[in-house]
Amino acid sequence: MAVIADRCPQIQVTVVDLNAERIAAWNGADLSKLPVYEPGLDAVVGRCRGRNLHFSTAVEAAIAAADMVFLSVNTPTKTKGLGAGQASDLRWIEASARQVAACAKGHTIVVEKSTLPVRTAEAVQAILGASLSQGGSDGAGPTFAVLSNPEFLAEGTAIADLENPDRVLIGGEDPGAIEALAGIYGHWVAPERILRTNLWSSELSKLTANAFLAQRISSINSIAAFCEATGADVREVARAIGTDSRIGPKFLKAGPGFGGSCFQKDILNLVYLCRHYGLEEVAAYWEQVVALNTWQQHRIARLVVTKLFGTVTGKRLAVLGFAFKADTNDTRESPAIRICQDLLEEGAQLVIVDPKVGEAQIAKDLAQAPSGQGSDGGGGWQLASTALEAATGADAVLLLTEWAEFGELDWDGIGSVMRQPAWLFDARATADASAARAAGLKVWRVGEG
Ligand code: UGA
């Protein structure tokens, strides 16, 4: 919404939320403290806020005043009830559709921006339609058109992705509504990059794009394990296959598995929908992408234990990076969570460093407050502010997020404060492995046989 406001100064954009604390944070004077850390976002918000970008808790008034409403709420995986663990929880989509139905005035275009199961627009249309029949169709009440406009930005590169998207996708049935939305993007996106489809294709394209991207990561991670077993190097293999123009070089980095709020959620949702439609083999095919990802994370934790003489109980391990990728403070489904949990289970003492993730978030993710070694030999964790501090007295350094600063560490300094024999486990292969080796560390890198 900030980028729309930036590129379309003649359009008033109001972002509304029930959460007053969050809205206050978006309105805060210090732009470096916005609720989401995203490179470049502070500058865009700084340019537009108060001009044509507003943050408010006045949800009803904003809906009433709007010509177009973007539904951009959470659709997490259901944790209980029908489809628990796989289906998307649509309660917030339904609640916001009902609120739009109750508050809209005049003709309102309702845009699904959240990632949704295919055919959700049917439910949104039904809710909006029911309000029409209740209000009486005397011509004075609101009318609606529903569009699907999924978002393809990636965290960390969101502003660039939005300013120069590969494509914008608009699904719908109402030509007037489609052109109204296309007109907004048309202010900065070339016409051939604005794709129009039917509603269901648009909804399904979003799930499919994420499924294909995640599948590439599981594919390369499966080959990484095979490289480790055979003496091949996954980066050489990735380069060799990536130069085939049909395969392409992107998204072939082996690592600790994909995290983030989307890939796993969207694939599980796809799996659930396939089963719903009786497509068991299709469901099982995609389910394996998630299974491989989970396996990769457990595999890395197991490997650390094995290399450290089969036990990490009471051992200090430095963990570099907790966010699910670099340049974000987001930890949702971060591979670091599962790897750290496995090591805590083994009784390790973790010392975690992340440039953007704080103690409260880590405590929530690990379901454990920071502490020293438990008296029962159970694991504990604490935060450190530098890699050197974390590594002091440690048996191993684990690199889990590819923050640029972890590529430039002083391995001589780190090696000299660790307990010997000392290990570097580089799950992203972004540390300077030769410098670490030169400093006397034993090195394991993902996908290096
Ligand atoms: C992903 C998609 O890339 C976006 O197109 C999509 O809009 C978004 O989900 C969404 O549905 O909201 P995001 O999760 O922000 O974006 O980040 P990615 O760059 O896709 O990374 C996802 C995970 O895959 C990270 O944990 C990353 O470290 C991992 N990854 C990525 C690899 O392990 N190897 C790679 O080569 C690329």
Side-chain angles (χ1 to χ4, degrees):
M1 291 305 121
V3 170
I4 289 179
D6 198 26
R7 295 302 173 124
C8 311
Q10 70 284 23
I11 297 177
Q12 290 294 319
V13 179
T14 307
V15 178
V16 290
D17 201 296
L18 297 172
N19 184 335
E21 204 181 316
R22 188 148 263 247
I23 289 295
W26 282 109
N27 281 323
D30 185 351
L31 286 168
S32 69
K33 295 215 170 92
L34 295 178
V36 172
Y37 171 69
E38 185 63 47
L41 178 61
D42 47 355
V44 179
V45 171
R47 275 199 296 277
C48 308
R49 202 174 56 185
R51 179 188 78 185
N52 66 329
L53 176 65
H54 313 279
F55 296 93
S56 161
T57 51
V59 180
E60 296 183 354
I63 293 172
D67 298 309
M68 203 177 268
V69 177
F70 290 80
L71 303 180
S72 317
V73 294
N74 254 1
T75 52
T77 304
K78 279 182 83 171
T79 52
K80 54 186 178 189
L82 198 62
Q86 291 195 324
S88 288
D89 191 339
L90 297 180
R91 75 176 95 167
W92 293 284
I93 272 290
E94 176 169 344
S96 31
R98 286 185 189 280
Q99 203 163 17
V100 172
C103 305
K105 296 214 180 344
H107 186 63
T108 306
I109 298 170
V110 178
V111 184
E112 297 176 343
K113 187 47 109 174
S114 305
T115 299
L116 295 168
V118 57
R119 295 204 80 89
T120 304
E122 213 164 30
V124 173
Q125 276 166 336
I127 290 166
L128 298 172
S131 91
L132 290 185
S133 54
Q134 267 170 14
S137 51
D138 55 1
T143 53
F144 299 103
V146 177
L147 298 176
S148 158
N149 173 221
E151 186 48 63
F152 295 105
L153 69 81
E155 289 181 29
T157 53
I159 301 298
D161 294 346
L162 287 164
E163 289 181 339
N164 189 19
D166 286 349
R167 81 307 207 181
V168 166
L169 184 55
I170 302 176
E173 287 149 10
D174 178 331
I178 294 172
E179 292 322 310
L181 184 55
I184 293 179
Y185 288 108
H187 281 100
W188 77 96
V189 180
E192 65 276 11
R193 295 201 172 191
I194 303 178
L195 312 184
R196 295 158 177 83
T197 66
N198 78 27
L199 270 171
W200 322 129
S201 303
S202 172
E203 289 177 338
L204 186 53
S205 297
K206 171 67 193 184
L207 294 184
T208 308
N210 275 356
F212 270 58
L213 290 169
Q215 181 198 43
R216 271 175 85 94
I217 300 171
S218 280
S219 296
I220 201 69
N221 283 341
S222 73
I223 297 302
F226 198 28
C227 286
E228 289 167 34
T230 54
D233 184 327
V234 76
R235 280 152 295 279
E236 293 181 350
V237 174
R239 184 155 50 97
I241 65 167
T243 46
D244 184 325
S245 61
R246 294 166 304 175
I247 296 175
K250 293 184 183 167
F251 256 70
L252 286 178
K253 285 201 193 83
F258 54 79
S261 65
C262 302
F263 284 171
Q264 175 166 312
K265 168 179 83 88
D266 291 352
I267 294 182
L268 292 177
N269 188 220
L270 189 66
V271 166
Y272 179 75
L273 291 169
C274 290
R275 291 227 160 89
H276 171 82
Y277 288 102
L279 300 168
E280 178 52 41
E281 285 74 9
V282 183
Y285 174 75
W286 288 109
E287 207 164 27
Q288 194 55 30
V289 172
V290 175
L292 197 291
N293 196 55
T294 307
W295 172 79
Q296 173 79 341
Q297 292 162 14
H298 289 309
R299 179 175 89 86
I300 290 173
R302 260 200 315 270
L303 185 141
V304 170
V305 176
T306 308
K307 301 255 190 232
L308 296 180
F309 310 113
T311 174
V312 292
T313 306
K315 287 182 181 166
R316 181 174 165 113
L317 307 179
V319 175
L320 307 189
F322 202 82
F324 83 95
K325 61 188 266 191
D327 295 325
T328 176
N329 61 348
D330 196 344
T331 62
R332 286 176 290 176
E333 304 295 340
S334 176
I337 300 175
R338 193 170 277 130
I339 295 171
C340 288
Q341 275 171 341
D342 282 3
L343 294 169
L344 288 172
E345 184 75 22
E346 294 284 340
Q349 187 61 37
L350 307 179
V351 190
I352 302 173
V353 186
D354 190 289
K356 289 287 169 193
V357 183
E359 198 169 72
Q361 186 59 47
I362 298 175
K364 202 166 144 215
D365 290 331
L366 296 179
Q368 183 171 336
S371 68
Q373 182 81 29
S375 52
D376 54 356
W381 69 274
Q382 55 190 285
L383 203 62
S385 43
T386 64
L388 187 66
E389 182 193 338
T392 304
D395 287 29
V397 172
L398 280 66
L399 194 157
L400 301 185
T401 312
E402 74 285 21
W403 286 101
E405 65 191 67
F406 300 147
E408 295 155 8
L409 295 171
D410 164 20
W411 285 104
D412 275 340
I414 290 176
S416 69
V417 295
M418 293 179 73
R419 188 166 82 152
Q420 300 299 328
W423 274 90
L424 163 63
F425 296 99
D426 187 355
R428 298 278 185 174
T430 53
D432 184 345
S434 35
R437 283 195 182 99
L441 279 83
K442 294 172 183 293
V443 176
W444 170 86
R445 300 172 89 207
V446 66
E448 187 175 81

